[in-house]
Amino acid sequence: MTGQTEMLIGQISGRVVIRENFDENGSFLNKQTFKASETIKKNGYYEIEVVTELFDKDKKLTDKYTTTYRCKPDEASVVVMAFPFSNPKSKKTEINTTSKKFKELYNLDNLKNIELEMSFDSGLLNFFGSKSIIKIYDRKLEAGKNTIKSKINIKAYAWGIRIKQFNYTVIEKLNEKGLLTFQKFSEADNSYFTINYK
């Protein structure tokens, strides 16, 4: 399963993902680690089990839980790992993604603007709301052959009302197989978070 030709959930299958958060001065705030199982196909869905560990600014473990994400074939999300889209402690989280181009997110030969709508069924209304509209635009290949610079706008809705909005400048690095190795999401105030894929 590769990120470019198959579902994007393949970007995290069997990998460890580490997100570290920093304030506007570059000071470390906290981190999360996500250990993902291999993707399995079950009842017409793809499922992946993710063990999440949360660490404070002293890098002490503060919480640990397991979530099963599932999505339909050809619908997947890497960004659920980066953002608290759904109540993570719910046992199962179903992700429904609507976008004709989302599968082409890491097609380096054709970096198009992408807009997608994601809805999350975790049984609870949560931090991010029940639906998010994500726009990924101004996508450019940087000097390095496998480095993409882009902008992301996220609008989160609950009951049809926009409750949050985020804007990021993003740098992403991929390996020769088209799998993510690094992402950096920066906000206007210079606070940022990084994600390393191992």
Side-chain angles (χ1 to χ4, degrees), residues 43-161:
N43 300 325
Y45 282 83
Y46 286 106
E47 285 193 359
I48 194 163
E49 190 174 87
V50 178
V51 176
T52 302
E53 293 182 326
L54 307 180
F55 298 85
D56 65 17
K57 65 181 170 105
D58 298 318
K59 300 189 178 177
K60 290 181 182 170
L61 182 67
T62 59
D63 204 357
K64 180 177 180 177
Y65 49 86
T66 302
T67 305
T68 300
Y69 292 99
R70 72 177 203 167
C71 57
K72 295 173 185 170
D74 296 327
E75 296 177 359
S77 171
V78 174
V79 286
V80 291
M81 302 299 295
F83 304 101
F85 280 114
S86 59
N87 181 346
K89 293 188 183 183
S90 62
K91 190 174 176 189
K92 289 189 182 288
T93 298
E94 183 174 333
I95 308 156
N96 293 306
T97 307
T98 307
S99 173
K100 293 177 181 173
K101 298 178 187 172
F102 191 44
K103 204 173 166 185
E104 304 167 18
L105 186 58
Y106 294 110
N107 178 355
L108 300 182
D109 297 323
N110 192 7
L111 291 174
K112 296 178 180 176
N113 291 346
I114 291 177
E115 182 172 332
L116 60 147
E117 180 179 307
M118 296 182 116
S119 60
F120 303 88
D121 178 15
S122 63
L124 293 167
L125 187 63
N126 46 60
F127 169 77
F128 234 109
S130 54
K131 182 178 83 169
S132 295
I133 308 262
I134 302 167
K135 292 181 183 177
I136 306 170
Y137 60 100
D138 285 354
R139 306 179 73 220
K140 298 178 183 72
L141 219 48
E142 290 290 284
K145 187 174 110 178
N146 289 349
T147 300
I148 304 168
K149 190 170 184 181
S150 58
K151 293 181 180 173
I152 294 181
N153 171 263
I154 301 170
K155 293 177 182 171
Y157 294 83
W159 301 297
I161 300 166

Side-chain angles (χ1 to χ4, degrees), residues 29-45:
L29 296 173
N30 53 47
K31 80 172 184 175
Q32 297 89 38
T33 63
F34 307 93
K35 292 176 184 167
S37 67
E38 295 291 336
T39 307
I40 59 167
K41 192 165 185 180
K42 188 174 174 183
N43 300 325
Y45 282 83

Side-chain angles (χ1 to χ4, degrees), residues 13-27:
S13 180
R15 301 178 81 185
V16 176
V17 181
I18 301 164
R19 170 179 164 161
E20 295 186 307
N21 304 291
F22 301 86
D23 68 16
E24 62 276 7
N25 298 314
S27 298

